[in-house]
Amino acid sequence: MNENYLWDKTGRDPEIEKLESELAAFRPGTTAPPALRIDADLLEKPTSSSRIWIRPALSFGIVGAACIAAIVFAPGIIQSVRVNYPGQTEKTAPVLIAKNDDEPKMARSDNQGTATKGEVTLEPEKITRAPKIKSSESYRLPHKIVRRIDRMPGKPRRNKKQEKLKLTPEEKHAFDQLMLGLSITSANLKIVNDKVQGTRESRKE
Amino acid sequence: MGDSKTITNLFFLGRRDEKRASTAAVSEEARLIDRIREGDENAFNELYRRLSPLVHGIVFSRVPPDEVEDIVQEVFILAFNGLHKLQNKNAVGPWIASIARNRAVEYFRRNKPTEELPESLAQRKSAQTEAQEILDAIMELPDAYKETLVLRLVEGLTGPEIADKTGLTHASVRVNLHRGMKMLRSKLEIKR
């Protein structure tokens, strides 16, 4: 048997040629294959190149939406964190107003610092700077605020020991991680925004 | 043994040219895929012309001859509809070959073979041609040898073409052809 002929039809091998001539009867066509008849209803709609981009675009959109949501809620989270740690400017400092029977309500300060009967205010100019939170995780409210809160009607006087707001190491770590995550999310959102703007500009061109 | 040594020498000598030719053929098919995805119908007809011997051979080695044409058409319809799933454009041959094999398996799952009556069997034997005898002997071979021999002897593809279109290595195809032909020869000698 001629192996070359079996491999790539170089040379001759009568035995293999005979087999080929006999089996050629089972070949579909001598010249061209039968025409491919595809009915339109058998075919799905042609997949456009846009389908190839659906998955990346969808993931892109989800990431963008997540970043936007993080950015929208980040100021609120930061604001709520800052409320517990006074040291804000005089115009943005919240004012704690308490009437005789009601619970204290938050209101904006107009920097006048007036206090009427039954009201308790946190005078912004008294709040100098945010206290430093040390690794010992103990934090004390400023002295004047402690006093004013003590004067709220109906609220029992707190001991000095109870006034300390202790942060456990896990809580402090969680807080730091939260702030770090928010900063990263805002950076990612900026990147996403830049890419979207770049894509729109290239499409317009 | 001399034959195997010859095969080994030829294999290493001819490998570079084969690789260049196979790379060019594969690139052409990749270009056809790109054109098909853009909506070029002529490109799909060209791809059909190139790959129909492969699909026909694979299906022919697995299902009854009467069903081959229909199944070949189904395979190409499935391929056309599933082109967006094809990740490697350079492997369209092996991809469509796997569709053909799966479709052949599915055919047998749906259509269980029926037992023939003795009268029909006697009639078939009397009208059996030499071609049918050779084909029956090929169908008794293991699947790997059977498919390769059908592609070589029935469809007329060369060894390098079989390797390119099925994704097998040249060495594998050589081995299948050599061992398959050896087994076919012994079966035909036994029958005669």
Side-chain angles (χ1 to χ4, degrees), chain A residues 1 3-9 13 15-16 18-28 32-39 42-49 51-52, chain B residues 7 10 18 37 44 48-49 52 56 60 69 73 76-77 80-81 84 130-132 134-135 138 152-156 158-160 170 173-174 177-178 181 184-185 188:
Chain A
M1 183 171 67
E3 292 289 341
N4 293 338
Y5 184 78
L6 181 62
W7 172 244
D8 57 5
K9 297 186 180 179
D13 189 311
E15 184 185 3
I16 298 175
K18 186 175 181 239
L19 290 172
E20 284 179 319
S21 64
E22 291 288 343
L23 293 172
F26 298 107
R27 211 174 285 178
L36 182 64
R37 280 177 243 102
I38 300 179
D39 295 330
L42 288 174
L43 291 176
E44 294 171 2
K45 289 196 175 175
T47 56
S48 61
S49 58
R51 184 177 285 196
I52 297 171
Chain B
I7 289 170
L10 286 171
E18 288 169 354
R37 284 175 173 169
F44 186 74
Y48 174 74
R49 189 188 65 79
S52 65
H56 186 272
F60 186 79
E69 292 299 332
Q73 298 278 324
F76 276 100
I77 290 172
F80 183 81
N81 287 332
H84 61 280
E130 190 174 350
Q132 189 65 45
I134 297 169
L135 189 65
I138 291 176
R152 173 64 184 86
L153 299 174
V154 177
E155 303 298 331
T158 62
H170 288 233
V173 175
R174 273 184 186 269
L177 285 175
H178 176 71
M181 185 56 73
L184 176 64
R185 198 181 284 126
L188 291 173

Side-chain angles (χ1 to χ4, degrees), chain A residues 71-92:
Chain A
I71 291 297
V72 166
F73 291 109
I77 294 171
I78 294 169
Q79 184 74 14
S80 64
V81 168
R82 283 184 182 173
V83 165
N84 295 327
Y85 301 98
Q88 301 173 13
T89 59
E90 51 195 359
K91 289 188 178 179
T92 58

Side-chain angles (χ1 to χ4, degrees), chain A residues 142-196:
Chain A
H143 183 66
K144 296 211 183 269
I145 296 172
V146 169
R147 272 197 185 171
R148 291 188 186 277
I149 289 173
D150 287 344
R151 289 181 191 171
M152 282 168 55
K155 199 161 179 89
R157 195 183 184 92
R158 284 190 284 175
N159 296 330
K160 286 189 178 180
K161 287 183 183 177
Q162 293 176 354
E163 289 164 359
K164 292 181 184 177
L165 180 63
K166 292 184 182 178
L167 279 179
T168 63
E170 291 80 14
E171 288 172 348
K172 185 179 183 313
H173 179 69
F175 174 74
D176 293 341
Q177 290 294 313
L178 174 65
M179 300 309 293
L180 179 63
L182 287 170
S183 66
I184 292 171
T185 304
S186 66
N188 286 339
L189 179 63
K190 188 177 182 313
I191 294 169
V192 166
N193 192 26
D194 291 343
K195 282 190 177 178
V196 168

Side-chain angles (χ1 to χ4, degrees), chain B residues 32-171:
Chain B
L32 286 174
I33 295 295
D34 288 335
R35 287 170 53 196
I36 293 169
R37 284 175 173 169
E38 292 168 3
D40 188 350
E41 289 182 2
N42 293 331
F44 186 74
N45 288 331
E46 174 64 21
L47 190 72
Y48 174 74
R49 189 188 65 79
R50 282 171 172 262
L51 295 180
S52 65
L54 171 71
V55 175
H56 186 272
I58 290 173
V59 175
F60 186 79
S61 65
R62 284 168 166 79
V63 303
D66 297 338
E67 305 291 336
V68 171
E69 292 299 332
D70 291 340
I71 294 177
V72 167
Q73 298 278 324
E74 286 179 26
V75 167
F76 276 100
I77 290 172
L78 288 170
F80 183 81
N81 287 332
L83 266 178
H84 61 280
K85 296 176 191 173
L86 177 61
Q87 294 180 348
N88 184 5
K89 290 179 290 187
N90 292 318
V92 63
W95 176 70
I96 206 167
S98 67
I99 295 175
R101 292 188 194 104
N102 292 338
R103 189 61 195 85
V105 168
E106 198 180 330
Y107 168 80
F108 280 109
R109 207 163 43 222
R110 288 183 187 176
N111 305 289
K112 291 181 182 177
T114 57
E115 291 182 4
E116 289 187 2
L117 294 173
E119 294 85 358
S120 61
L121 186 61
Q123 287 173 4
R124 195 163 67 92
K125 270 197 168 177
S126 64
Q128 199 167 31
T129 60
E130 190 174 350
Q132 189 65 45
E133 188 181 331
I134 297 169
L135 189 65
D136 291 342
I138 291 176
M139 293 303 164
E140 293 172 9
L141 299 177
D143 286 345
Y145 302 160
K146 177 170 59 177
E147 182 178 302
T148 310
L149 277 180
V150 165
L151 291 172
R152 173 64 184 86
L153 299 174
V154 177
E155 303 298 331
L157 299 175
T158 62
E161 288 174 339
I162 295 170
D164 292 340
K165 292 185 190 312
T166 59
L168 293 170
T169 61
H170 288 233

